[in-house]
Amino acid sequence: MNSVSKICLSLLISISLLAHHQLWANESSDEDDDSLVMEEIEVETSLLDPPVEINPTRSSTTFNREEIETRQPDNIFEVIEDIPGVSTSGGPRNNGYNLNIRGFGDNEDIIYKLDGAIKDYEKYRFGGTFIEPELLKSVEVSRGAATTASGSGALGGVVEMETKDASDFLKPGEKYGASTKYGHRFNNDEDLRSLTLFAAPFEKLHLLFNYTDRRSNDYKLTGRVSDDSGDRLPLSETNPDSLLGKVEYYLNDDMTLGFSYINFKQKGLENFDTTAVTPSIFGVVDRDTDDKTYATKFLYEPISDLIDFSITLGFTDTDVNEVTVEGLNPVGTVTNFKYDIWALDMKNISQFKFNGIANTLTLGIDGEYSDRETSRDLPTGSIDFFDQPSGIYQQYGVYFLNEFNFGNLTITPGMRWDYNHSRVTLDSLVDFLKSNNQKASDSFDIFLPSISSSFRIQNTPLTIFANYWEQYRPPKLDEYYTIGVFNRCVSGIPVDPQSITRTCGDLYQPEESENYDLGLLMQKSNLIGRDDLLAKITYFDTSVDNVLETLNS
């Protein structure tokens, strides 16, 4: 396979529009005997947010704004691909990448969140992560199932992204400003243009708007001499447009209300199989992608150790429309995937002492409601789309974590209860299942314990840590109800009625995992001058039962 080389060049222009009163100091004259001479004060500062933050005792890495901008990525996978235990596949198209965390590479095994909204898009041979990295201020990757507070399905881990806000741009005393950016990649002649407007017209109100677009040609393959079309990777050009609008209102010193809107659009000829580097037997489609994300956050942080309360409500509306140009489906076939996903996360963090032991207690409730609508229209008329049928998926959970601090020893037990429900809504499939005495919906609930511990060895820079979590992923719509060539339960299953309907139904059980982490941390401050050292070695073991792959006989 030919490799693709990437060379980046960027130019950043910032314009600050000041709209405030500036104070001017009066110069003292030689005759001013009342001048006050103050003692010299030396002020030392340090970076509050390092570019990359590594959790000392858990497998979690956070990339902040400085690091993201330094890397100049054209997708989020270029930000996180070199984290230990993380790899990417597919590409180079931005909607063709798949993330693999500790061996789990399906979208169903990794939770993606943007400003708290869940990005849970499933489509055959399609990456489905529509996020412009220019909009992001941080990306946090938690590896493994150490995600008691993140919901079911995170067998591989969680990727949480947060968009920029006005306070990231406004300088002290500044009320209005603008920032523009231009970038160019030589290989595929990609031009990046970005405009950010930010303002604080009132002390309590912060506003931000960003528009970013990318335009590129096909990637040029290495090892070639001429510039004709044979040197290019077919159908690798991109033209995404992205919008970000964000409002934050500080109700008072204790309460903050925020709202963000993100829109990603892309249209053009693409491989049906975007995860493959070159065109395959699946052919080419004219694909129109429109992804919208809405998120509302409320924070209540009074001067109290017992209350640190937050609510996040997110909504994702993703619409992917395809028209077959060539391939297995007849030319002119129209296929549509539409996802509407609601997500709620509500939690409180309390700090207190009990019998002299410091406690940090986290209590939370979260939920997801996903409504998928799919359809396929052939040139000869509409057909029932059994390959990935329409349906509804729901998940609701309650969890708690309590960190006990005994000085050098910290122990954090946790517990999560989850309820999951899947229901097919394709009328013809519902009728077919019922006529064969098979359910059109299935539900599961489960308790998931966890415990984490760390011990700092006295008078040394060493910390030993050990973690244990249980996690699971319930079968979703496709595992339950797909009929056709993509069905996991084909003929030969000696079970009725599944052997008749050729759907899996409740033959599938939740995929459950047990996860262990053991590690040693060395942390040394002021090692050379003011430099700090953090070194960590981690051993992890993941055991999975009821793997959701196939029941073919």
Side-chain angles (χ1 to χ4, degrees):
M1 183 183 298
N2 292 298
S3 62
V4 177
S5 62
K6 298 181 181 179
I7 303 176
C8 303
L9 173 69
S10 70
L11 175 65
L12 178 63
I13 304 172
S14 296
I15 306 170
S16 295
L17 306 176
L18 299 181
H20 65 284
H21 296 290
Q22 185 171 6
L23 298 177
W24 298 88
N26 294 324
E27 295 184 0
S28 299
S29 65
D30 294 337
E31 300 177 355
D32 189 358
D33 297 331
D34 296 329
S35 298
L36 177 62
V37 179
M38 299 185 64
E39 181 182 354
E40 181 178 330
I41 300 175
E42 181 180 352
V43 179
E44 295 184 3
T45 62
S46 61
L47 288 176
L48 296 179
D49 296 313
V52 180
E53 299 178 38
I54 300 175
N55 190 300
T57 59
R58 296 193 181 186
S59 298
S60 176
T61 302
T62 302
F63 293 92
N64 291 325
R65 178 186 170 189
E66 179 183 346
E67 181 67 17
I68 296 173
E69 293 179 349
T70 298
R71 294 179 178 235
Q72 300 183 50
D74 65 0
N75 58 73
I76 64 165
F77 302 99
E78 290 186 358
V79 178
I80 61 181
E81 62 185 355
D82 58 357
I83 297 176
V86 176
S87 62
T88 60
S89 60
R93 305 159 188 87
N94 54 22
N95 61 3
Y97 281 91
N98 281 321
L99 190 64
N100 187 298
I101 303 180
R102 292 188 173 180
F104 294 91
D106 291 337
N107 277 4
E108 303 95 325
D109 295 328
I110 300 172
I111 295 176
Y112 294 88
K113 292 185 177 181
L114 179 61
D115 283 353
I118 293 178
K119 311 296 292 181
D120 186 11
Y121 187 87
E122 296 178 77
K123 184 182 180 301
Y124 184 64
R125 294 185 179 270
F126 194 68
T129 304
F130 319 105
I131 297 169
E132 168 57 57
E134 280 296 313
L135 309 182
L136 301 179
K137 68 182 294 184
S138 69
V139 179
E140 180 180 356
V141 180
S142 299
R143 305 182 295 284
T147 49
T148 301
S150 297
S152 61
L155 295 181
V158 180
V159 179
E160 297 184 80
M161 296 156 284
E162 185 178 352
T163 56
K164 298 174 181 176
D165 49 49
S167 61
D168 295 317
F169 295 90
L170 288 166
K171 297 179 176 62
E174 197 173 44
K175 287 192 174 182
Y176 304 97
S179 176
T180 64
K181 181 177 180 179
Y182 172 78
H184 183 76
R185 291 189 177 224
F186 289 97
N187 181 288
N188 60 344
D189 298 321
E190 179 187 270
D191 289 315
L192 164 70
R193 302 174 184 87
S194 181
L195 170 65
T196 304
L197 305 176
F198 45 92
F202 309 105
E203 182 182 358
K204 295 183 178 182
L205 180 64
H206 284 189
L207 307 172
L208 181 136
F209 170 83
N210 175 276
Y211 171 74
T212 299
D213 81 310
R214 297 177 184 268
R215 296 291 182 270
S216 76
N217 296 321
D218 290 337
Y219 279 106
K220 184 178 180 180
L221 302 174
T222 59
R224 305 294 181 88
V225 178
S226 63
D227 285 330
D228 57 31
S229 59
D231 294 335
R232 301 284 176 171
L233 181 64
L235 302 177
S236 60
E237 65 180 55
T238 58
N239 59 354
D241 295 308
S242 298
L243 285 174
L244 168 63
K246 202 163 188 179
V247 179
E248 290 179 303
Y249 185 71
Y250 300 90
L251 300 171
N252 52 45
D253 293 340
D254 300 334
M255 293 185 288
T256 304
L257 181 64
F259 173 79
S260 63
Y261 167 76
I262 306 105
N263 185 205
F264 177 97
K265 289 186 177 183
Q266 180 166 283
K267 181 175 174 58
L269 292 179
E270 299 179 1
N271 289 336
F272 175 90
D273 182 3
T274 61
T275 63
V277 176
T278 57
S280 63
I281 61 172
F282 296 98
V284 177
V285 295
D286 186 1
R287 179 175 285 130
D288 187 354
T289 301
D290 188 355
D291 179 77
K292 302 182 181 70
T293 304
Y294 307 82
T296 300
K297 178 174 287 188
F298 172 76
L299 302 177
Y300 180 48
E301 302 168 300
I303 304 176
S304 171
D305 292 337
L306 296 178
I307 301 176
D308 185 353
F309 180 73
S310 65
I311 300 178
T312 301
L313 178 64
F315 175 69
T316 300
D317 178 10
T318 305
D319 197 342
V320 177
N321 183 274
E322 299 174 348
V323 180
T324 301
V325 175
E326 60 179 63
L328 295 178
N329 293 319
V331 174
T333 298
V334 178
T335 304
N336 184 261
F337 276 74
K338 180 176 175 59
Y339 271 80
D340 289 339
I341 304 174
W342 289 93
L344 172 69
D345 187 6
M346 181 170 57
K347 67 180 178 182
N348 183 69
I349 301 175
S350 301
Q351 297 184 25
F352 58 93
K353 282 191 174 182
F354 183 76
N355 287 338
I357 300 173
N359 290 255
T360 301
L361 175 64
T362 302
L363 298 174
I365 299 173
D366 59 26
E368 174 188 352
Y369 180 91
S370 175
D371 185 357
R372 181 176 78 181
E373 295 181 8
T374 61
S375 64
R376 175 164 289 170
D377 297 325
L378 303 179
T380 56
S382 299
I383 63 171
D384 290 323
F385 193 28
F386 292 130
D387 290 345
Q388 289 185 273
S390 300
I392 292 172
Y393 169 76
Q394 302 172 64
Q395 174 267 321
Y396 306 102
V398 178
Y399 61 89
F400 84 88
L401 293 162
N402 192 73
E403 178 184 294
F404 297 94
N405 193 321
F406 301 92
N408 288 351
L409 175 64
T410 300
I411 300 177
T412 308
M415 178 65 73
R416 180 180 182 89
W417 174 82
D418 258 353
Y419 169 81
N420 299 83
H421 176 79
S422 294
R423 174 167 60 91
V424 66
T425 57
L426 178 61
D427 290 339
S428 57
L429 181 53
V430 172
D431 294 339
F432 178 59
L433 293 172
K434 289 183 177 180
S435 65
N436 287 279
N437 299 317
Q438 190 171 345
K439 297 185 297 183
S441 65
D442 282 277
S443 301
F444 288 98
D445 68 279
I446 194 169
F447 283 96
L448 302 169
S450 67
I451 187 166
S452 304
S453 62
S454 64
F455 179 72
R456 175 73 178 268
I457 302 176
Q458 192 75 25
N459 300 322
T460 73
L462 301 178
T463 299
I464 302 172
F465 61 91
N467 306 311
Y468 171 80
W469 301 274
E470 291 184 11
Q471 183 57 274
Y472 92 126
R473 178 173 77 81
K476 294 189 178 181
L477 294 169
D478 295 336
E479 286 90 2
Y480 279 139
Y481 306 116
T482 292
I483 296 179
V485 296
F486 301 113
N487 173 248
R488 304 291 180 89
C489 304
V490 297
S491 59
I493 298 292
V495 180
D496 288 326
Q498 280 83 0
S499 59
I500 300 173
T501 63
R502 301 183 67 185
T503 61
C504 296
D506 55 10
L507 288 177
Y508 268 124
Q509 297 299 312
E511 186 173 328
E512 300 180 42
S513 70
E514 291 186 338
N515 306 266
Y516 301 87
D517 276 10
L518 299 173
L520 178 66
L521 169 73
M522 183 172 69
Q523 202 166 9
K524 182 70 174 175
S525 300
N526 302 322
L527 183 66
I528 302 176
R530 295 184 180 180
D531 292 338
D532 298 335
L533 171 67
L534 188 150
K536 182 170 67 170
I537 182 170
T538 303
Y539 168 82
F540 66 91
D541 181 273
T542 299
S543 176
V544 182
D545 293 326
N546 304 323
V547 177
L548 299 179
E549 286 296 336
T550 180
L551 290 176
N552 295 1
S553 62

